[in-house]
Amino acid sequence: MSEAEDRKPQSDEARSGFDPEITSEFAIPAGLAAPRTGGEPETTSEFAVPSGLDVGPPAAAEGEGSAFSLPSTYSARQAPSAFTPAEGVPVVSLIKDLPWQDRMRTMLRMPVADRPAPEPGPKAEEGGPAVPRVLDLTLRIGELLLAGGEGAEDVEAAMFAVCRSYGLDRCEPNVTFTLLSISYQPSLVEDPVTASRTVRRRGTDYTRLAAVFRLVDDLSDPESHLSLEEAYRRLAEMRRNRHPYPGWVLTSASGLLAGAASVLVGGDLVVFVAAALGAMLGDRLAWLCAGRGLPEFYQFLVAAMPPAAIGIALTLADVEVKASAVITGGLFALLPGRALVAGVQDGLTGFYITAAARLLEVMYFFVGIVAGVLVMLYVGVQLGAHLNPDAALGITKRPLWQIGASMLLSLTFAVLLQQERSTVLAVTLNGGVAWSVYGAMHYAGEISPVASTAVAAGVVGLFGQLLSRYRFASALPYTTAAIGPLLPGSATYFGLLAIAQNEVDAGLVSITKAAALAMAIAIGVNLGSEISRLFLRIGSAEKRRAAKRTRGF
């Protein structure tokens, strides 16, 4: 065989793509024409594209991907077409005539990308707003609101309103119990500017709180051009202003509050005077402790002792009075209803850290009151005072006297909260309505006290929220003092008395009842406030989205 004949079959074998000497089970059978693949290995993976499916050619710059290749990055020029749902993209529409609280709360519950841009013409100096100064003003306003007892959600809404009024729309406020922070990002490619402020002192002055709300309302008004200097000047005036009521008026109001509370639980004129004297003495002792720098825990402990001591002294002197009414009246002036309502409201609106801190503060105050009363009750029991825990069953039903006492209690509570004189009448009437609802359900309808308290507190929250929206102000001055007649003073006292007499089971039952009444008050006030918003037009129902944080997964 010649050399040319030897080369010919070799070239045929090379063209056929297989070696005839291979006898493996993976070899291609004779007579089966294998398609040319251009040198690429045939894909047999389950991820192969089925035949007949047209796939666009891959990008020329990209090679074949593998498990070790870097992922492709997003390119704006080669981005896919935007997806529009069948029902369309909803348009955000906010009514300008509504209070700023509702408008800001609505936008805070939206994602940043869905919030409507601020209207042109921000109230700022030429050259744009000074971002650090705007953030500082925002934090100072939020500090006054949070220190005054305002809820975390309303504080965030106020901070967002201040920033938005000066054209800073991409801002995110954050509120906890003692820390305020806010972050502003000018654009997606610029670094954010963040500032924070710590709340170190807290005080109850609803007159200052109302002034802060008026300032935020003026800043949110597009027709008022309030500069940064003017806003700082008004803020400094709020800090310098004196309280509307002097110290002797506050002490007298504390005594009248305790006397009115003693009438609610069946006391007479002697009981009224005794409870008033005990509360005023406790108030002065608490002021003395505050002047010495003692923590509030010890202030509450000392303030709870005089009413209990006077009630025990009257019992030891064989005076025909209800010592339980005297001690209960003194407790009404100390129970932290304001902090309790704010704590439960923060929890219901999703601010769990702030809610936990507020409720922990309430627990410490309550423990201080319990310690002060228990010390005096233990001393009284050791001295032979005959205190009857079953006296709670003998409360006299006097509707007219009790309604009048509830209104007096709300009025004095409003004075203690340093409210404006223009709001005192409204909150007094609101407190009378609350006790009327409670009395009609509990005494006349024989409904459980917890359910009656919840409904009455809901009425307080409903009317308070509507009044605040009517006056474009905070709802606290219209609700906090009005819940005073509903506070669980008698249940707290009788629980402590049973514990002091070694009846721990009965005492725990009464304390649990007091806790249930307190929660009913707080939840009722918040529910009434939410129901009131059903009567307010804030665009469409789907724009006021709830804070969806957890759904069990």
Side-chain angles (χ1 to χ4, degrees):
M1 183 181 287
S2 64
E3 183 178 357
E5 292 175 347
D6 291 338
R7 288 196 301 266
K8 184 175 181 181
Q10 293 177 359
S11 60
D12 292 339
E13 294 171 1
R15 284 193 300 268
S16 63
F18 63 93
D19 191 354
E21 298 296 331
I22 298 176
T23 58
S24 171
E25 56 194 67
F26 298 101
I28 302 176
L32 179 64
R36 295 181 181 273
T37 58
E40 291 286 338
E42 185 175 359
T43 303
T44 59
S45 170
E46 59 199 68
F47 299 102
V49 180
S51 59
L53 180 64
D54 295 332
V55 180
E62 296 184 1
E64 183 179 3
S66 68
F68 302 98
S69 62
L70 296 177
S72 60
T73 58
Y74 175 80
S75 176
R77 296 184 178 180
Q78 300 178 0
S81 57
F83 173 74
T84 303
E87 64 274 10
V89 179
V91 179
V92 178
S93 176
L94 299 174
I95 300 175
K96 301 178 182 179
D97 296 335
L98 284 176
W100 58 266
Q101 298 100 309
D102 296 317
R103 291 186 282 114
M104 296 303 112
R105 186 182 292 107
T106 302
M107 283 188 286
L108 275 175
R109 292 178 175 179
M110 297 178 182
V112 178
D114 295 345
R115 295 174 186 170
E119 297 182 359
K123 299 180 283 293
E125 293 83 358
E126 295 183 359
V131 174
R133 295 191 65 198
V134 172
L135 297 185
D136 179 71
L137 175 68
T138 302
L139 291 174
R140 291 177 182 272
I141 290 177
E143 178 190 9
L144 287 180
L145 292 176
L146 189 62
E150 192 63 71
E153 186 180 27
D154 291 329
V155 175
E156 279 196 358
M159 294 172 64
F160 187 75
V162 174
C163 285
R164 193 175 176 83
S165 64
Y166 288 102
L168 308 185
D169 57 329
R170 301 180 64 88
C171 61
E172 287 292 338
N174 187 22
V175 176
T176 57
F177 185 58
T178 57
L179 182 64
L180 297 167
S181 63
I182 188 167
S183 177
Y184 169 68
Q185 189 173 13
S187 65
L188 294 175
V189 296
E190 297 183 62
D191 295 333
V193 181
T194 305
S196 62
R197 193 173 184 88
T198 303
V199 179
R200 302 191 182 276
R201 294 189 60 186
R202 299 179 183 273
T204 304
D205 190 345
Y206 282 1
T207 300
R208 179 180 297 172
L209 192 69
V212 176
F213 264 75
R214 283 194 293 268
L215 174 60
V216 178
D217 185 45
D218 292 340
L219 288 172
S220 303
D221 188 1
E223 297 180 359
S224 65
H225 302 279
L226 199 64
S227 63
L228 278 172
E229 283 71 18
E230 180 65 19
Y232 269 109
R233 185 190 63 80
R234 290 178 57 176
L235 199 62
E237 289 180 354
M238 297 175 197
R239 291 182 176 273
R240 289 195 301 263
N241 282 348
R242 298 174 59 89
H243 296 302
Y245 306 103
W248 66 270
V249 173
L250 298 180
T251 302
S252 302
S254 178
L256 292 175
L257 189 152
S262 66
V263 174
L264 282 179
V265 293
D268 52 10
L269 181 60
V270 177
V271 172
F272 181 94
V273 175
L277 290 176
M280 287 190 290
L281 182 58
D283 181 75
R284 286 294 92 191
L285 290 177
W287 277 102
L288 181 62
C289 294
R292 295 293 186 270
L294 290 178
E296 286 184 302
F297 175 84
Y298 300 104
Q299 297 176 28
F300 276 83
L301 188 149
V302 171
M305 288 184 174
I310 291 178
I312 293 172
L314 292 176
T315 303
L316 292 174
D318 294 331
V319 180
E320 294 295 332
V321 295
K322 287 186 177 181
S324 60
V326 176
I327 302 175
T328 300
L331 291 179
F332 264 85
L334 299 175
L335 293 178
R338 172 181 59 88
L340 175 66
V341 172
V344 175
Q345 180 182 0
D346 289 340
L348 293 176
T349 53
F351 295 86
Y352 302 114
I353 297 177
T354 307
R358 288 186 190 271
L359 294 178
L360 185 63
E361 181 187 39
V362 171
M363 187 192 72
Y364 273 104
F365 291 164
F366 188 76
V367 170
I369 297 171
V370 167
V373 175
L374 273 180
V375 167
M376 301 311 300
L377 290 179
Y378 181 77
V379 171
V381 171
Q382 297 301 316
L383 293 177
H386 299 286
L387 301 173
N388 184 14
D390 296 331
L393 302 176
I395 296 179
T396 307
K397 299 178 183 178
R398 299 172 296 177
L400 296 180
W401 281 96
Q402 289 175 332
I403 292 175
S406 65
M407 295 177 67
L408 177 62
L409 193 153
S410 299
L411 188 148
T412 53
F413 203 175
V415 173
L416 289 175
L417 293 174
Q418 302 281 1
Q419 291 189 197
E420 292 181 307
R421 292 178 175 86
S422 60
T423 63
V424 171
L425 178 60
V427 75
T428 301
L429 296 176
N430 201 7
V433 171
W435 182 261
S436 300
V437 173
Y438 172 80
M441 295 183 62
H442 179 53
Y443 295 122
E446 297 182 353
I447 302 176
S448 68
V450 176
S452 303
T453 301
V455 174
V459 173
V460 169
L462 175 63
F463 288 168
Q465 196 68 233
L466 292 177
L467 286 173
S468 67
R469 292 302 186 263
Y470 175 72
R471 297 194 176 187
F472 290 81
S474 172
L476 289 180
Y478 299 98
T479 57
T480 305
I483 65 173
L486 304 175
L487 293 176
S490 58
T492 303
Y493 162 69
F494 288 110
L496 300 179
L497 178 58
I499 293 175
Q501 295 181 346
N502 293 326
E503 298 179 5
V504 180
D505 294 339
L508 291 179
V509 170
S510 187
I511 292 295
T512 304
K513 178 183 176 182
L517 291 173
M519 293 297 294
I521 292 173
I523 295 175
V525 170
N526 181 263
L527 181 60
S529 300
E530 294 296 330
I531 292 176
S532 68
R533 294 192 177 100
L534 298 177
F535 301 97
L536 301 174
R537 295 162 52 245
I538 57 174
S540 62
E542 63 183 11
K543 301 303 182 297
R544 188 184 181 273
R545 297 166 182 159
K548 296 181 179 178
R549 289 176 173 84
T550 56
R551 288 295 183 272
F553 52 85

